[in-house]
Amino acid sequence: MFTGIIETLGKIENIEKDKSNIHFYVSSAISNELKIDQSVSHNGVCLTVVGLNDNLHQVTAIDETLQKTNLAQLKVGDLINLERCTLAGGRFDGHIVQGHVDQTACCIAKRDENGSYVFTFQYDICKQNITVEKGSITVNGISLTVVDSRDDQFSVAIIPYTFEHTNLQHVEVGSTVNIEFDIIGKYVSKIMALRG
């Protein structure tokens, strides 16, 4: 489990295709602290560390993960958001994040608000995921608050610190991001659907 509070940015140093899987080699400020079998969120996707070498760590994404996330679009040199799993007894500064991306969304607007930014993302409503104003949403692994909610889109306001310390600084109109909807909202939506 994660909280959506990004620890650091990682840089994709190498990408290897292996049949339907992809191995990513990532350098970061925390790579030398990781251990084999450790769970780490990469752009909101929970991946297992399978290799370590100096300041690099290796993770593998299987085909199902590649189909449901933006990881297949990554290129060497790209920056990704990293977060290690939550420690029991630690502070819970974000919200409950599972590291299980529900779907991707497309950035349809990016507005500079004199130092802060407002991003608007559009997603496929066929999966019956929902957002609510002032509710939580995870974008590329970042715990954010929804400021405007519509049937198939939502907006988030980004403070300068978050913009500078995550890969939102590189998200532009047309960019694809990973979305994990709030777990409580998903349960409520499922219950309501079952009740008809």
Side-chain angles (χ1 to χ4, degrees):
M1 188 174 70
F2 307 93
T3 67
I5 304 300
I6 303 305
E7 286 189 72
T8 190
L9 285 167
K11 182 179 179 182
I12 302 295
E13 300 288 355
N14 193 23
I15 297 172
E16 290 182 356
K17 292 188 178 180
D18 181 9
K19 298 180 181 177
S20 63
N21 303 328
I22 294 181
H23 304 295
F24 295 100
Y25 296 83
V26 183
S27 64
S28 75
I30 63 171
S31 293
N32 62 352
E33 300 174 19
L34 301 179
K35 297 177 181 177
I36 300 293
D37 286 337
Q38 189 169 359
S39 295
V40 179
S41 171
H42 294 68
N43 270 5
V45 183
C46 180
L47 297 173
T48 302
V49 176
V50 297
L52 295 168
N53 184 10
D54 295 327
N55 288 326
L56 287 178
H57 69 271
Q58 177 190 349
V59 292
T60 301
I62 63 173
D63 184 61
E64 180 182 2
T65 301
L66 297 169
Q67 295 297 325
K68 293 183 177 179
T69 70
N70 66 4
L71 294 186
Q73 299 176 17
L74 290 174
K75 305 178 298 297
V76 170
D78 282 351
L79 298 178
I80 56 173
N81 298 321
L82 299 177
E83 180 193 358
R84 286 174 281 192
C85 58
T86 305
L87 292 172
R91 290 189 183 275
F92 210 91
D93 294 319
H95 71 281
I96 298 172
V97 177
Q98 295 180 296
H100 301 156
V101 171
D102 293 301
Q103 62 187 101
T104 58
C106 179
C107 179
I108 59 172
K110 177 181 179 181
R111 192 169 72 247
D112 186 339
E113 293 286 351
N114 195 27
S116 63
Y117 292 85
V118 175
F119 288 83
T120 301
F121 298 100
Q122 187 168 41
Y123 60 95
D124 183 355
I125 60 172
C126 292
K127 298 183 186 243
Q128 299 181 325
N129 289 309
I130 60 169
T131 61
V132 293
E133 289 187 25
K134 309 304 182 208
S136 297
I137 189 77
T138 307
V139 177
N140 275 357
I142 310 163
S143 174
L144 298 170
T145 301
V146 175
V147 296
D148 183 28
S149 175
R150 302 184 186 181
D151 287 344
D152 66 343
Q153 60 185 255
F154 64 91
S155 297
V156 289
I158 309 300
I159 63 173
Y161 182 89
T162 302
F163 186 81
E164 293 164 9
H165 290 85
T166 69
N167 64 7
L168 282 179
Q169 60 190 278
H170 299 293
V171 171
E172 302 292 345
V173 172
S175 295
T176 300
V177 295
N178 295 327
I179 301 296
E180 181 181 327
F181 293 86
D182 180 54
I183 186 64
I184 297 171
K186 288 191 281 189
Y187 276 116
V188 171
S189 179
K190 181 73 171 179
I191 291 168
M192 297 302 291
L194 290 173
R195 288 184 176 177

